[in-house]
Amino acid sequence: MKPSLVITVLVLSSATASAQDVCPEFANSVNAIIKGGTAGIELGLEDAAVKQEKKGLYRGWDSSIRLNNANAKIAIKASKAPPSFAFRPVNEAVHPRQQIKLYALVTKKQYRELAVGGMNNWGGTKDKNSKDSSIELKFEKISKGCYKVTSAVELPPGQYAFSLGASPDVQGTNAGWGTTSQGQVWYGFSVK
């Protein structure tokens, strides 16, 4: 009887330790799940800026979110199964889908960029027909206040970033001339 009790305690404590090792320590942060799901490594917090750039004589201004450096600090190997991440939301009462979004970024010489809209020369917005280009995510509860996040599709090699915050959306009618990244934090990674 006692050996089975000891084994049960070991199994329960190792399952708890595993969830704690995978989940981020702080709210509003993301870990990449590594080592077969037994450990997590914190994704790097990115330095983000909203930029507007003049495009041609009549095309107006394009708006984008730019993350410093051409590559993220954390790289994940490409595989047929989408990579997994652990996310600890700020507000447990709000569905995580409303607090985190994943975007593919385009690599430029010294930064990664996500086009979010803009304005034409006559004051109209370029983002009227803009659609949400975020990558669909799946959520699975790991423990209280911590969720396993995977993309619904395979991620090809490239640069990606999670937008976290009270409003992780960056495209569509909220974009354009007045776009800001205020209240958002960005965690980037690359798939190699």
Side-chain angles (χ1 to χ4, degrees), residues 37-60:
T38 60
I41 183 167
E42 186 176 342
L43 294 183
L45 184 61
E46 299 284 350
D47 204 9
V50 174
K51 296 291 180 182
Q52 293 179 334
E53 189 172 12
K54 181 79 170 156
K55 293 292 185 177
L57 188 57
Y58 298 108
R59 285 198 51 225

Side-chain angles (χ1 to χ4, degrees), residues 172-190:
T173 56
N174 293 333
W177 188 256
T179 300
T180 71
S181 62
Q182 187 174 7
Q184 295 173 337
V185 290
W186 292 81
Y187 288 92
F189 66 96
S190 60

Side-chain angles (χ1 to χ4, degrees), residues 86-101:
F87 168 57
R88 187 175 299 277
V90 170
N91 187 346
E92 293 178 42
V94 176
H95 194 288
R97 188 175 318 283
Q98 297 172 304
Q99 299 181 63
I100 184 171
K101 293 241 180 175

Side-chain angles (χ1 to χ4, degrees), residues 68-170:
N68 287 345
N69 302 320
N71 293 304
K73 295 175 185 172
I74 303 293
I76 297 168
K77 286 186 179 182
S79 67
K80 292 189 180 194
S84 297
F85 301 90
F87 168 57
R88 187 175 299 277
V90 170
N91 187 346
E92 293 178 42
V94 176
H95 194 288
R97 188 175 318 283
Q98 297 172 304
Q99 299 181 63
I100 184 171
K101 293 241 180 175
L102 176 61
Y103 295 96
L105 305 172
V106 175
T107 302
K108 304 288 183 166
K109 286 183 180 180
Q110 297 179 359
Y111 54 88
R112 291 155 284 152
E113 182 175 56
L114 173 65
V116 295
M119 287 188 70
N120 61 33
N121 282 336
W122 297 275
T125 63
K126 291 183 177 183
D127 55 18
K128 281 189 248 176
N129 300 322
S130 176
K131 295 182 180 165
D132 182 7
S133 67
S134 66
I135 298 166
E136 185 181 347
L137 298 173
K138 296 179 185 176
F139 298 92
E140 177 186 328
K141 193 169 190 172
I142 296 174
S143 64
K144 184 174 176 10
C146 183
Y147 294 86
K148 180 180 178 182
V149 178
T150 55
S151 68
V153 296
E154 183 180 326
L155 298 179
Q159 298 294 321
Y160 298 89
F162 285 105
S163 169
L164 282 64
S167 177
D169 294 321
V170 295

